Amino acid sequence: TWVGPIPTRKSLDSYLVVYPNPTSDKININKNVDIVMFNYIGDMIISKQNTSVLDVSKISSGMYMLQITYENKTINKRIIKK
């Protein structure tokens, strides 16, 4: 029987790094992911699959929500476009 510490499962949030935030032109992600960007009222702005870079240079300044899917798990991140 196992008598050591209980192994912890890392959350998806700890595997994915989204940078820079705030940004003015591109958002980088340290893995290839599927990503959907929504504006503050919930309209889909951008949708990309299997990418690690998201070009946001042509969208208006403001706060946006990213829905990031990696290995069939989804997390949400807020980003600020300058």
Side-chain angles (χ1 to χ4, degrees):
T1 57
W2 176 256
V3 292
I6 298 172
T8 58
R9 297 176 80 183
K10 289 190 173 185
S11 70
L12 184 57
D13 200 32
S14 65
Y15 286 114
L16 297 177
V17 179
V18 178
Y19 62 96
N21 190 12
T23 186
S24 57
D25 59 351
K26 291 183 182 175
I27 297 168
N28 299 292
I29 303 142
N30 66 327
K31 307 271 186 199
N32 281 350
V33 298
D34 296 340
I35 188 165
V36 182
M37 175 183 265
F38 298 93
N39 66 11
Y40 67 98
I41 59 172
D43 296 329
M44 185 178 68
I45 305 297
I46 300 171
S47 179
K48 298 277 185 179
Q49 294 184 333
N50 196 31
T51 188
S52 63
V53 178
L54 191 63
D55 181 3
V56 296
S57 61
K58 295 178 180 162
I59 65 172
S60 301
S61 297
M63 187 179 301
Y64 294 87
M65 180 67 70
L66 300 180
Q67 186 178 67
I68 302 168
T69 303
Y70 178 70
E71 294 184 347
N72 297 319
K73 295 179 184 163
T74 301
I75 62 166
N76 294 314
K77 294 261 191 187
R78 285 191 189 123
I79 61 109
I80 297 171
K81 165 65 168 48
K82 294 194 264 186

